[in-house]
């Protein structure tokens, strides 16, 4: 079992995707993550990303335990603060004002535990003119610039096919938590850290954002082509498509040899990166009929023999059938009492001594409520009373 974070206890107040993604990192590396769920009927948005036994919930909430707790009730809040005394981390992704109204902001948490770390994820930030708005991934993709550079030129904005803002915000929050934990080793004190979908999406734009900030250029849509390297993009074969990744001049010459056109490698219109970019349409016009004459598998063999960067374009079933993906072992199994042996998406980083591990399936709502409360000193009579009054 992974011992990397098994000394940490996390109180998980999150829902939807960004927050659960953050907590999943901690859980997969051994932290005791206690997911705080609302008692049945109290949260109108409880099923926003599907059924508890659905693929998304199973993937987001594995390796966690679940406790039901009504945080709107004074006794529920008091019980949460009592649990916070012995916790290391609280993660939440409410709208910024909600934690304050619940009395669970950093000031309240640090009053009972000065070592606690509070991680907050919001749509647009903890303050500012948009702080009270609801944030969703696609909205952040649009406001963060991703949709304006995605898709074919002239066809209008296009969302990315993955939840880029949600997932990256969760990963940035997890990174912030690990930094705060490292700093706590020196100071002995916790702190409040926060990120947002908007910040994370802008950060993920990386070189496109820097292109504007440094040079004042506003990047546009390039479709499947790289913004400035040619030929780097999608080309059709006789039975499908391939990605070509020809960036440097040496790779261009290698490609020309692979397609039996070595003279193109030194052609004055194509020999350098700037020239190839200036003649992008012409180059693709030369390449397309050549690639259309062979299968994708044939081209992968030829291109690999000539050390030309290229790769197939997979559907998701093909992704997990690929021998390299199978070797990496990113699809990992965990037994589930209803769904049976379930394959989920593992962590994309390998630690040689303390790797991430699938220890347990995502819990049903409140599955470990009694267990967790007994760990905090409540007896069966008190637990029964709390349940009777819908506190848990």
């Amino acid at each position: 079992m992974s011992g990397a974070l098994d000394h940490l206890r996390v109180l998980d107040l999150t829902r939807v995707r960004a927050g659960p993604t953050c907590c999943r990192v901690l859980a997969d590396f051994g932290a005791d993550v206690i997911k705080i769920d609302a008692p049945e009927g109290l949260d109108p948005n409880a099923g926003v990303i599907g059924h508890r036994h659905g693929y998304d919930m199973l993937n987001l909430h594995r390796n966690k335990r679940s406790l039901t707790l009504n945080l709107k009730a004074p006794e529920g809040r008091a019980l949460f603060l009592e649990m916070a005394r012995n916790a290391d981390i609280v993660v939440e992704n409410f709208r910024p004002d909600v934690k304050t109204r619940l009395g669970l902001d950093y000031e309240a948490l640090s009053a009972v535990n000065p070592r606690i770390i509070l991680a907050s994820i919001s749509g647009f930030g903890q303050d500012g003119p948009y702080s009270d708005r609801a944030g969703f991934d696609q909205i952040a993709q649009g406001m963060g610039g991703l949709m304006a550079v995605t898709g074919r030129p002239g066809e209008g904005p296009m969302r990315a096919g993955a939840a880029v803002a949600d997932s990256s915000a969760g990963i940035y929050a997890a990174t912030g938590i690990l930094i705060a934990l490292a700093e706590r080793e020196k100071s002995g004190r916790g702190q409040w850290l926060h990120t947002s979908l908007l910040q994370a999406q802008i950060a993920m734009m990386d070189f496109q954002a820097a292109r504007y900030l440094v040079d004042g250029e506003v990047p546009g849509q390039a479709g499947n082509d790289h913004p400035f390297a040619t030929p780097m993009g999608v080309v059709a074969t006789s039975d499908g498509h391939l990605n070509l990744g020809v960036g440097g001049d040496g790779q261009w010459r290698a490609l020309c040899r692979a397609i039996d056109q070595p003279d193109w490698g030194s052609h004055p219109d194509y020999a350098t990166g700037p020239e190839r970019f200036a003649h992008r349409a012409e180059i693709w016009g030369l390449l397309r009929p050549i690639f259309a004459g062979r299968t994708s598998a044939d081209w992968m063999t030829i291109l690999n023999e000539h050390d030309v960067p290229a790769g197939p374009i997979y559907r998701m079933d093909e992704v997990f059938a690929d021998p390299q993906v199978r070797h990496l072992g990113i699809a990992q199994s965990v037994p589930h009492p209803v769904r049976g042996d379930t394959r989920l998406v593992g962590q994309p980083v390998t630690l040689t001594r303390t790797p991430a591990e699938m220890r347990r399936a995502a819990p049903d709502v409140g599955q470990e409520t009694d267990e967790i409360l007994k760990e905090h000193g409540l007896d069966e009579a008190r637990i029964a009373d709390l349940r009777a009054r819908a506190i848990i």
Side-chain angles (χ1 to χ4, degrees):
M1 293 178 64
S2 177
L5 302 179
D6 63 3
H7 59 299
L8 299 175
R9 174 163 286 183
V10 182
L11 301 182
D12 176 3
L13 294 171
T14 70
R15 54 187 176 178
V16 192
R17 186 169 312 283
T21 296
C22 169
C23 293
R24 179 175 61 188
V25 174
L26 307 177
D28 285 358
F29 283 99
D32 178 19
V33 176
I34 299 174
K35 177 170 169 49
I36 310 297
D37 287 300
E40 187 174 357
L42 288 185
D43 182 0
N45 298 313
V48 66
I49 61 169
H51 189 270
R52 196 71 167 209
H53 295 165
Y55 63 88
D56 213 4
M57 295 290 276
L58 293 179
N59 197 47
L60 283 169
H61 298 297
R62 79 280 185 108
N63 287 336
K64 303 177 184 180
R65 299 192 289 168
S66 172
L67 163 77
T68 52
L69 190 60
N70 182 359
L71 295 172
K72 295 180 180 179
E75 194 165 356
R77 173 185 177 274
L79 187 53
F80 183 87
L81 290 175
E82 187 60 34
M83 293 175 64
R85 292 182 189 276
N86 299 310
D88 296 280
I89 303 153
V90 174
V91 186
E92 61 88 14
N93 62 346
F94 301 126
R95 293 196 198 191
D97 65 320
V98 171
K99 60 183 169 296
T100 304
R101 287 193 282 107
L102 292 174
L104 300 176
D105 54 11
Y106 180 68
E107 183 177 354
L109 294 171
S110 61
V112 300
N113 181 356
R115 288 175 55 83
I116 203 153
I117 293 164
L118 171 63
S120 297
I121 306 170
S122 62
F124 303 98
Q126 293 297 306
D127 47 35
Y130 303 159
S131 61
D132 62 346
R133 295 184 183 181
F136 288 95
D137 178 85
Q138 186 160 337
I139 295 172
Q141 285 193 29
M143 294 180 66
L146 178 59
M147 292 177 66
V149 300
T150 304
R152 293 187 178 91
E155 293 188 3
M158 177 68 68
R159 70 181 294 274
V164 179
D166 270 339
S167 297
S168 59
I171 295 167
Y172 282 126
T175 303
I177 288 169
L178 297 176
I179 293 168
L181 286 168
E183 192 281 334
R184 193 175 72 176
E185 293 296 310
K186 297 187 297 181
S187 68
R189 299 170 56 200
Q191 60 182 302
W192 181 30
L193 65 99
H194 45 88
T195 187
S196 67
L197 272 62
L198 182 58
Q199 288 169 283
Q201 180 61 78
I202 294 170
M204 290 297 288
M205 294 305 294
D206 198 34
F207 77 92
Q208 296 282 42
R211 181 177 171 186
Y212 168 70
L213 292 174
V214 176
D215 290 340
E217 296 181 4
V218 178
Q221 293 169 300
N224 286 319
D225 286 326
H226 191 275
F228 52 81
T230 297
M232 187 175 291
V234 176
V235 63
T237 65
S238 65
D239 66 346
H241 296 83
L242 286 180
N243 268 319
L244 277 181
V246 178
D249 297 341
Q251 292 172 347
W252 166 248
R253 291 190 291 271
L255 172 64
C256 293
R257 291 191 295 270
I259 62 176
D260 295 325
Q261 299 290 341
D263 292 346
W264 292 355
S266 57
H267 191 290
D269 288 346
Y270 316 141
T272 67
E275 287 297 331
R276 288 194 299 279
F277 184 72
H279 294 86
R280 168 176 279 176
E282 182 178 332
I283 288 174
W284 280 119
L286 293 171
L287 294 179
R288 288 191 185 103
I290 294 173
F291 275 86
R294 292 178 182 266
T295 67
S296 295
D298 286 344
W299 279 120
M300 284 304 304
T301 299
I302 294 168
L303 295 171
N304 283 326
E305 287 174 350
H306 287 80
D307 201 25
V308 177
I313 300 174
Y314 287 150
R315 301 185 307 269
M316 196 54 65
D317 57 339
E318 295 170 313
V319 170
F320 289 102
D322 182 273
Q324 182 64 26
V325 175
R326 292 165 68 93
H327 171 79
L328 292 171
I330 196 166
Q332 299 179 18
S333 296
V334 64
H336 188 274
V338 176
R339 298 295 300 263
D341 194 48
T342 305
R343 291 199 306 163
L344 303 173
V345 184
Q347 290 294 335
V349 59
T350 300
L351 277 67
T352 56
R353 287 192 300 103
T354 56
E357 184 182 16
M358 297 287 181
R359 301 185 308 279
R360 58 194 298 165
D364 287 343
V365 173
Q367 182 173 312
E368 291 84 15
T369 295
D370 289 21
E371 171 187 307
I372 294 166
L373 292 180
K374 287 177 181 178
E375 291 172 1
H376 286 82
L378 279 69
D379 59 24
E380 291 186 2
R382 174 86 186 282
I383 293 170
D385 176 62
L386 290 171
R387 183 166 283 115
R389 292 186 290 119
I391 305 298
I392 59 175

